[in-house]
Amino acid sequence: MSGGEAPLMERGVLAMDEGDALMLTRVHKKPGFVTVRRHGPRTVNVGKYSSVPDIGAAPIDEPAAWFLGPRAENSEVLTTLTKDVLEHIGAYRRGYLPEDPIIITPEMQATSSYTTAVAEMSTSFKEVLGYFAERATPFFSLRYQAHMTGDNPMPALAGYFLGMLHNPNNVTIQASTTTTLLELLAMRDLCHMVGWSTENDDQAWSHITADGSIANNEAVWTAREVKFLPFAIVKALQKEPSLAGAKDVEVTLTSGTKKRLDQTTNWERFNIRRDEILALPGRMAAKLGKQPYEVWSVVVNYDVNAVGVWGMLDAFEGLGGAPTLFTPSTRHYSWPKAAAVNGFGTERDVTMMVDADGRMSIDELTKGLDTALSKKIPVLLVVAVNGSTEESAIDDLTKILAVREDYRKKGLEFDIHVDAAWGGYFMTVVRKDFGSVVTPADLENPFIEDTRKVPMSDYSIEQFKAVREVDSVTIDPHKSGYIQYTAGSILYRNKEVLNLVTFTGAYIGAATEPTVGMFGLEGSKAGATAASVFFAHRCIRPSERGYGRILTFALQNTRRLYTDLLFLSRPEDSFVCTPLPRIPAERSGASAAEQEKQLAFIKETIWGKTIEEIEANPEALALFRELGPDQNILDYGFNPRVDGKVNTDPEAYNQLMQGVYDAFHIHYDKEGLADNIHNYKLLLSYTIFKRHEYGDAFMDTFAKRLGLEGRPEELYCLRSVIMDPYALNLNSAFTQQLVDILRDKVNELARRTSRSASPSA
Ligand SMILES: *Cc1c(COP(=O)(O)O)cnc(C)c1O
């Protein structure tokens, strides 16, 4: 098949300037088009657009002013912001060419059909409001310790409301004269958070996606186009007379050897570093005396987007199989979906079992890579999850990076993606503060040194610091960024990849304009989302002073609930409680006596103590940081205890867990109507661990710790995502009340379960 003669689609080609916005140039490259620099105290210039509000200029450092609050404590603030938007919208419309005629006249508004219509709308809306009042889920409440949804920052809501009433579409700047630039600034900000510069062509880029699933799909899509690009270039060199002068272009293989690209083997071609591949069109252009985009615009017609996977079959000659993704078994289901959608098939999404902490087994990974190496199966991506959806586990990225170095020496090259859809914003707890302009010196060491008070383990902190080493990252502002739906994002370390995924329809406009809408899978994109993320970041910086504090509260609250669960069961109770995360002494394999000692120490110095008390005791503080899950999703099991003996039957355990979940999740009737929400005093979610997914190490360790015998195929587990962005020790009487509700219910159900399970009953 020849893609060159009949291009399958029209493609726009990007040229990137010194600045960070991109311009679309089919014709020429205008130098110096876009730079972002401070202009006055509170605005920046984005290209020819001056006075764009500066995202780093106006942080609000008072956490009490960030959220509406569980009792709507800040409703006056939100009302003011909302009113400001409404007044602005009225003034904006009236101010736009004021000589224009009035269409809806006072006479029309005075008719009885008009007044009736307005009254009907209002009545009808009250019905809908009533429906929400009864049945909406109280994500904001301290009683809601279930799914990944919490309160939303007021700036995010106000930004969205403003954007929504203007309704721009970030698909093209023609339809988003305000919000395209806000998206550019907000996403640059996320790149800077990770520690990436956005200044140059081969540096970082990010755009908003509808969600993490789309971001993961785009990561696989771009990885696919990069992986096959050397093959595309070889074909283009054979077929395109205009490229004749670049026929002898060389590549550096992972071994360090230089070789003419057209003389490499298929296996070598599949194992070239991403940056080396992405530099090829530029190097060819230099040989040809052309602009890079002129070469890009030719070679993309030979890549998978144009010719399909079928057009690439000759790439597999002499190899053992099609490119593979390696993901941990805790991965989100968007990964197999991405493997399917991108033409590899779910079978090419090979999952690695996890260890007892729910982190990808590095042994399994190296075994998989050995197989790939010996059978000559190309590896597309290794995905490290940062904050798994069910347990907030963080895969050992530092080890995965080291593994990649090892395999590079053996001639096996792959890209690494971090799926931080959930966990991304947790990086802010160790991210130094920064403004909208960052210099290379700022990015040399973007992380704080004194982590003594950071309620996150040294292990987790190391994984965040390593994110900047990878090729692409998914971060959802609508997950641990607390922003309302929908707001995901994809970050690329080397923005040259955008050349490979740009499709232009005639409708997406003219050249030389900043754009964010043309590099993703989506078409129309809510500009309101960009305004929301932008204004949230402007008020609550994605660093220590802003989100870092929100997430510090969330992490502290998680650790405090963890200790509550450790000591939940008293001698007189009919159950035992086992949190999935082991205490550090157990994790490190210390003796039973040492574990008891550590438990006693936790009970004495951490359990029920305020953060100030814990922080005043260096030994307790050091241990506090290492307690609980890697982030803020806490899983735990309750096992019945009869006459002082802990149940050993997995069935009875699962039955109790099902009962507890039933007591604390919203039920629906046959008509699909949710139960009245006011009937629930506490809300939890649950998950099921399956042996064939999680593997023996994980399942056997947890089963044993629960006190179960045998080798259960499935273990039910309660799951709480603790998102409360406040220091909860202020409310310890109230949180104690919630703990009591849980204990009483489990006792009641455990007595019932154990009666029905015991043979004498
Ligand atoms: C939530 C999640 C996703 C998917 O994100 P959506 O925004 O729900 O599409 C992907 N990966 C992880 C680890 C997640 O937690």
Side-chain angles (χ1 to χ4, degrees):
M1 191 182 291
S2 152
E5 287 130 35
L8 294 181
M9 78 286 288
E10 264 244 299
R11 239 189 234 86
V13 173
L14 294 170
M16 285 153 236
D17 255 302
E18 304 92 270
D20 70 318
L22 295 169
M23 59 174 171
L24 178 65
T25 42
R26 285 181 152 285
V27 202
H28 60 277
K29 182 168 170 171
K30 241 205 262 171
F33 172 66
V34 185
T35 46
V36 175
R37 70 174 77 86
R38 239 168 219 281
H39 176 76
R42 293 204 160 199
T43 57
V44 286
N45 286 348
V46 182
K48 58 191 165 191
Y49 301 80
S50 57
S51 307
V52 177
D54 181 348
I55 198 167
I60 312 291
D61 286 330
E62 175 49 64
W66 286 343
F67 291 88
L68 178 57
R71 310 293 300 158
E73 294 89 335
N74 284 324
S75 72
E76 262 182 52
V77 182
L78 188 60
T79 305
T80 304
L81 293 168
T82 309
K83 258 201 196 141
D84 288 349
V85 173
L86 292 171
E87 280 169 12
H88 150 82
I89 280 290
Y92 170 78
R93 291 196 177 192
R94 284 187 294 269
Y96 175 67
L97 303 184
E99 313 76 40
D100 288 357
I102 284 171
I103 302 295
I104 305 164
T105 61
E107 291 73 36
M108 288 156 89
Q109 290 170 324
T111 61
S112 67
S113 71
Y114 176 91
T115 42
T116 312
V118 171
E120 269 173 8
M121 202 181 333
S122 170
T123 309
S124 159
F125 197 49
K126 287 204 176 79
E127 277 171 36
V128 179
L129 292 172
Y131 173 74
F132 274 75
E134 198 172 293
R135 302 184 192 274
T137 313
F139 301 124
F140 53 82
S141 170
L142 304 186
R143 295 177 186 272
Y144 187 86
Q145 300 296 345
H147 292 285
M148 305 171 128
T149 321
D151 207 352
N152 309 119
M154 290 189 290
L157 297 169
Y160 196 94
F161 191 51
L162 170 63
M164 187 184 84
L165 291 188
H166 282 281
N167 199 28
N169 182 347
N170 278 17
V171 69
T172 158
I173 195 166
Q174 286 300 316
S176 54
T177 45
T178 48
T179 47
T180 281
L181 297 173
L182 299 187
E183 181 170 341
L184 281 166
L185 289 175
M187 292 300 104
R188 234 171 54 110
D189 214 36
L190 266 192
C191 291
H192 296 162
M193 175 185 91
V194 164
W196 281 338
S197 171
T198 51
E199 292 304 309
N200 300 323
D201 288 3
D202 59 354
Q203 291 179 329
W205 164 268
S206 171
H207 59 254
I208 292 177
T209 55
D211 59 19
S213 301
I214 294 290
N216 289 346
N217 259 278
E218 291 186 7
V220 174
W221 183 30
T222 49
R224 184 189 76 181
E225 292 307 296
V226 174
K227 201 74 173 167
F228 284 93
L229 184 61
F231 294 90
I233 292 178
V234 169
K235 279 190 192 157
L237 286 171
Q238 287 162 359
K239 298 218 165 117
E240 297 281 344
S242 68
L243 300 183
K247 266 204 162 26
D248 60 348
V249 67
E250 287 186 330
V251 281
T252 305
L253 303 177
T254 49
S255 60
T257 321
K258 276 198 172 156
K259 208 168 172 182
R260 264 178 68 142
L261 179 65
D262 61 356
Q263 289 173 2
T264 49
T265 64
N266 281 353
W267 179 245
E268 285 169 338
R269 247 170 242 175
F270 266 129
N271 289 288
I272 304 170
R273 284 188 192 215
R274 173 177 282 216
D275 291 348
E276 178 71 10
I277 295 172
L278 292 172
L280 280 171
R283 297 223 312 271
M284 289 161 66
K287 278 176 177 289
L288 295 164
K290 291 179 190 255
Q291 291 294 331
Y293 74 87
E294 295 177 277
V295 174
W296 279 110
S297 67
V298 175
V299 297
V300 290
N301 292 320
Y302 295 86
D303 210 345
V304 186
N305 276 340
V307 305
V309 177
W310 324 119
M312 285 292 176
L313 291 183
D314 48 354
F316 303 119
E317 267 165 39
L319 303 186
T324 300
L325 282 90
F326 286 101
T327 56
S329 58
T330 51
R331 53 112 177 82
H332 189 263
Y333 60 88
S334 50
W335 288 103
K337 210 191 269 186
V341 169
N342 284 286
F344 297 108
T346 54
E347 286 182 2
R348 309 312 300 170
D349 168 33
V350 178
T351 57
M352 309 287 105
M353 297 299 181
V354 292
D355 65 15
D357 298 311
R359 302 170 185 159
M360 182 198 280
S361 155
I362 302 296
D363 277 353
E364 284 235 359
L365 175 64
T366 53
K367 267 186 221 149
L369 293 172
D370 284 339
T371 308
L373 191 60
S374 67
K375 293 194 176 164
K376 291 212 163 117
I377 299 170
V379 179
L380 184 75
L381 270 184
V382 172
V383 177
V385 174
N386 184 310
S388 59
T389 316
E390 302 300 331
E391 46 287 282
S392 73
I394 303 181
D395 288 335
D396 194 338
L397 178 59
T398 52
K399 279 211 184 115
I400 294 171
L401 285 160
V403 164
R404 178 162 70 173
E405 285 309 318
D406 277 354
Y407 281 82
R408 274 180 173 156
K409 291 187 198 112
K410 303 174 188 177
L412 181 69
E413 174 66 25
F414 50 86
D415 291 335
I416 300 177
H417 178 90
V418 171
D419 183 357
W422 174 253
Y425 277 75
F426 279 95
M427 184 181 286
T428 57
V429 303
V430 288
R431 180 65 174 86
K432 283 182 196 161
D433 294 327
F434 60 99
S436 59
V437 180
V438 297
T439 63
D442 295 334
L443 295 176
E444 228 156 74
N445 184 9
F447 301 102
I448 62 172
E449 271 105 47
D450 183 359
T451 54
R452 276 173 302 180
K453 288 189 176 177
V454 174
M456 189 188 262
S457 68
D458 286 339
Y459 166 85
S460 299
I461 291 172
E462 287 312 308
Q463 307 319 315
F464 278 115
K465 289 184 179 173
V467 169
R468 60 207 300 232
E469 309 293 325
V470 309
D471 300 285
S472 51
V473 188
T474 295
I475 298 178
D476 277 359
H478 70 206
K479 293 273 188 75
S480 53
Y482 288 75
I483 302 223
Q484 66 287 343
Y485 301 112
T486 66
S489 77
I490 176 81
L491 289 72
Y492 298 114
R493 185 179 47 76
N494 184 335
K495 71 180 163 197
E496 295 270 22
V497 294
L498 299 182
N499 285 298
L500 291 165
V501 289
T502 303
F503 289 55
T504 356
Y507 140 76
I508 307 208
T512 67
E513 287 174 342
T515 173
V516 290
M518 47 184 302
F519 312 120
L521 292 169
E522 295 154 61
S524 295
K525 273 164 68 113
T529 305
S532 170
V533 179
F534 173 88
F535 193 47
H537 280 204
R538 184 173 161 103
C539 297
I540 309 173
R541 298 292 300 139
S543 65
E544 215 189 342
R545 74 193 298 171
Y547 274 103
R549 291 168 78 190
I550 295 178
L551 292 160
T552 292
F553 292 143
L555 288 167
Q556 287 170 342
N557 295 334
T558 306
R559 274 140 190 75
R560 300 183 78 238
L561 178 61
Y562 174 77
T563 55
D564 275 343
L565 291 176
L566 279 180
F567 306 113
L568 185 70
S569 159
R570 303 159 305 188
E572 66 269 31
D573 289 320
S574 304
F575 68 91
V576 289
C577 174
T578 309
L580 175 66
R582 298 170 294 173
I583 59 170
E586 197 181 354
R587 236 176 210 175
S588 66
S591 68
E594 302 233 4
Q595 291 180 30
E596 282 305 318
K597 208 171 126 203
Q598 188 171 70
L599 214 49
F601 183 76
I602 295 169
K603 196 169 193 174
E604 191 190 311
T605 64
I606 298 175
W607 183 42
K609 296 283 185 278
T610 64
I611 293 302
E612 291 71 25
E613 286 165 333
I614 296 168
E615 285 182 349
N617 178 345
E619 209 186 327
L621 181 61
L623 185 58
F624 184 64
R625 297 181 52 218
E626 302 287 331
L627 290 183
D630 289 343
Q631 291 163 353
N632 66 334
I633 304 176
L634 184 53
D635 296 339
Y636 44 98
F638 298 112
N639 199 12
R641 178 168 59 186
V642 200
D643 303 330
K645 275 171 70 187
V646 176
N647 160 60
T648 56
D649 172 18
E651 290 250 337
Y653 161 78
N654 282 339
Q655 197 189 331
L656 172 61
M657 293 299 285
Q658 182 73 55
V660 178
Y661 175 60
D662 272 348
F664 298 118
H665 84 273
I666 302 160
H667 294 255
Y668 298 85
D669 64 20
K670 285 207 186 78
E671 283 72 47
L673 268 188
D675 220 350
N676 188 320
I677 202 67
H678 302 103
N679 298 338
Y680 294 88
K681 303 278 180 283
L682 183 66
L683 286 155
L684 307 174
S685 68
Y686 89 136
T687 187
I688 305 174
F689 299 126
K690 296 181 176 149
R691 184 171 293 271
H692 71 269
E693 287 173 356
Y694 279 70
D696 296 337
F698 181 93
M699 295 297 284
D700 291 339
T701 307
F702 191 41
K704 185 157 170 246
R705 294 176 57 238
L706 285 164
L708 302 176
E709 284 172 359
R711 310 196 72 208
E713 284 303 313
E714 279 187 358
L715 289 171
Y716 287 38
C717 205
L718 286 159
R719 166 177 174 271
S720 286
V721 184
I722 296 119
M723 294 193 68
D724 314 279
Y726 319 98
L728 283 192
N729 45 0
L730 300 172
N731 286 319
S732 57
F734 180 68
T735 48
Q736 218 38 60
Q737 207 181 313
L738 297 185
V739 166
D740 289 343
I741 292 174
L742 183 61
R743 186 197 282 115
D744 291 349
K745 191 50 142 188
V746 181
N747 263 329
E748 178 197 322
L749 293 166
R751 285 186 196 120
R752 233 187 276 160
T753 315
S754 50
R755 259 201 309 278
S756 67
S758 102
S760 58

